[in-house]
Amino acid sequence: MPLVANSDLPAFERLRKEGETIIPRDVALHQDIREMHIGLLNMMPDAALAATERQFFRLIGESNQIAQFYLHPFTLTEIQRSLEANHYVERYYQTFEQIQAEGLDALIITGANITQPQLSLEPFWEPLIKVIGWAYENVTSTLCSCLATHAVLDFRYGQKRRRLSSKRWGVYSHRVVDRSHPLVRGVNTRFDVPHSRFNEISRDQFEAAGLHVLAESEKGGAHLAVSEDLFRIVFCQGHPEYDSISLLKEYKREVLRFAAGQRDHYPPFPENYFSPKIQAILEEYQEQLIIAQDKDLPLPPLPEHLIVDYLDNTWHDTAEAIINNWMGNVYQITHSDRKKPFMEDTDPNDPLGLRQPA
């Protein structure tokens, strides 16, 4: 179903040019179709702000439920941004106070750039807790991505993330461990998900918190889980929203950090992402870059034009299916008044009627 261009946010025009169905607000108002209002708490750093909008908006817009999707991006003022990014936020984003006043049917919370050794030391920690607490009482379901998952497990369940011995970076195969849950209905029993993180919450930690794991990876760890009520909070440790080029951009950033002397070793390849042909191209580029450094010559540009068309996306269809299931279930139980999370006959402790009697 279509996304409604309910603001001048550039993401709508960019997605329209990519072939997504975007309808103007004045047209939407004349259609007799149910509205759904989805919030996006975008905590990503400036360089990834707009790309993250498009990634999640695309997944929402491609879900096929009978609804018009209104997207409401907002962020936290405590996240330090450039002057340009602040102007962008002021122009296109809502405030959390506006979100609270108007209400939401569902909420997505992104990851964030971490600068402190503990999450509780981050300047956005207390504001984030406030948003999540409000959402649990007022929003039908909240989807937490990567860092947001770690934050909720920390402050709500007392499970602190653990540092990995090395960065978990690449595309990993996952297995559905509960095929009966509505979120994974119709999803392949094995599917890929990109990961990019230095920390993790283990499956044992999810289960110790009384949460329910739906999909995990032998190498990537637990990825998809739900809260004890089996729906009101959805946890993702990976990045199913990533574009085909997202890991390439991260790899390029690490190469540039190496070239600038900000990291000691040349970055490894993200696992299971580059084909042998692409790896050969990048290994040749590495040699050229090191030679240029040794001879104090201008650094050659990364040959992205030789790479982009050969990157495979092996995760988007599954991500789309899971988001489709999520939106469909929100649609079934959310109240027509967006300030109320559930219809009157819905049990907040078992919104989908999935829990077994004690």
Side-chain angles (χ1 to χ4, degrees), residues 56-358:
F56 280 111
F57 284 16
R58 185 180 296 115
L59 285 175
I60 295 293
E62 289 171 348
S63 60
N64 61 8
Q65 307 304 320
I66 308 301
Q68 293 173 343
F69 294 120
Y70 287 74
L71 282 302
H72 302 275
F74 65 108
T75 190
L76 302 176
T77 57
E78 291 76 9
I79 296 175
Q80 187 173 1
R81 299 196 182 279
S82 66
L83 185 62
E84 181 181 3
N86 278 325
H87 286 161
Y88 179 88
V89 166
E90 289 172 4
R91 179 175 180 182
Y92 298 116
Y93 280 32
Q94 294 178 261
T95 66
F96 178 47
E97 290 72 24
Q98 289 173 315
I99 296 292
Q100 287 177 293
E102 297 172 0
L104 295 171
D105 295 300
L107 173 64
I108 297 169
I109 304 178
T110 75
N113 189 36
I114 298 302
T115 61
Q116 301 297 324
Q118 297 181 32
L119 291 178
S120 59
L121 298 177
E122 294 290 342
F124 60 74
W125 178 251
E126 293 296 334
L128 176 59
I129 290 176
K130 182 179 178 182
V131 171
I132 295 172
W134 171 82
Y136 194 77
E137 298 299 326
N138 295 278
V139 178
T140 305
S141 185
T142 298
L143 188 150
C144 298
S145 174
C146 198
L147 181 278
T149 286
H150 294 175
V152 175
L153 265 292
D154 189 337
F155 84 82
R156 188 178 177 88
Y157 298 100
Q159 297 291 332
K160 293 187 178 297
R161 64 188 192 157
R162 298 167 182 171
R163 186 78 174 181
L164 295 165
S165 59
S166 60
K167 185 177 182 180
R168 183 158 295 154
W169 194 29
V171 180
Y172 303 100
S173 176
H174 293 66
R175 181 176 62 89
V176 175
V177 295
D178 180 359
R179 302 182 187 183
S180 66
H181 196 281
L183 279 180
V184 291
R185 193 163 292 155
V187 171
N188 290 341
T189 56
R190 281 199 175 272
F191 60 88
D192 288 343
V193 181
H195 288 255
S196 180
R197 52 191 167 85
F198 289 97
N199 302 274
E200 79 163 350
I201 299 290
S202 69
R203 178 173 182 170
D204 288 345
Q205 287 179 280
F206 277 108
E207 293 179 341
L211 311 182
H212 190 62
V213 175
L214 301 181
E216 65 179 351
S217 167
E218 184 176 334
K219 186 70 181 290
H223 163 59
L224 183 66
V226 288
S227 48
E228 61 273 26
D229 53 73
L230 300 180
F231 189 63
R232 293 176 68 185
I233 307 178
V234 178
F235 302 99
C236 295
Q237 276 206 99
H239 288 280
E241 78 281 2
Y242 268 10
D243 295 323
S244 300
I245 62 172
S246 295
L247 288 174
L248 173 62
K249 288 182 177 180
E250 291 184 12
Y251 178 77
K252 178 181 179 180
R253 182 186 66 209
E254 294 305 310
V255 169
L256 294 176
R257 289 184 64 237
F258 169 80
Q262 297 172 358
R263 59 174 294 156
D264 296 333
H265 304 289
Y266 202 89
F269 295 136
E271 294 185 285
N272 312 312
Y273 178 57
F274 294 135
S275 68
K277 178 179 179 179
I278 293 175
Q279 290 185 25
I281 293 171
L282 290 172
E283 287 168 350
E284 182 178 349
Y285 171 76
Q286 178 181 347
E287 294 175 1
Q288 294 172 352
L289 185 146
I290 292 174
I291 290 172
Q293 283 185 314
D294 291 342
K295 296 184 176 182
D296 200 24
L297 297 173
L299 299 181
L302 190 80
E304 296 175 73
H305 64 288
L306 300 178
I307 296 171
V308 170
D309 289 342
Y310 297 96
L311 292 173
D312 291 322
N313 188 315
T314 59
W315 60 87
H316 182 81
D317 286 354
T318 299
E320 181 183 327
I322 291 172
I323 293 295
N324 175 58
N325 288 338
W326 182 54
M327 285 287 90
N329 282 279
V330 169
Y331 180 89
Q332 294 295 323
I333 62 176
T334 192
H335 201 284
S336 57
D337 180 352
R338 58 196 263 207
K339 293 183 180 180
K340 298 179 180 180
F342 301 110
M343 292 188 291
E344 281 76 6
D345 60 349
T346 299
D347 179 0
N349 297 313
D350 187 15
L352 299 184
L354 299 174
R355 299 181 68 182
Q356 299 296 321

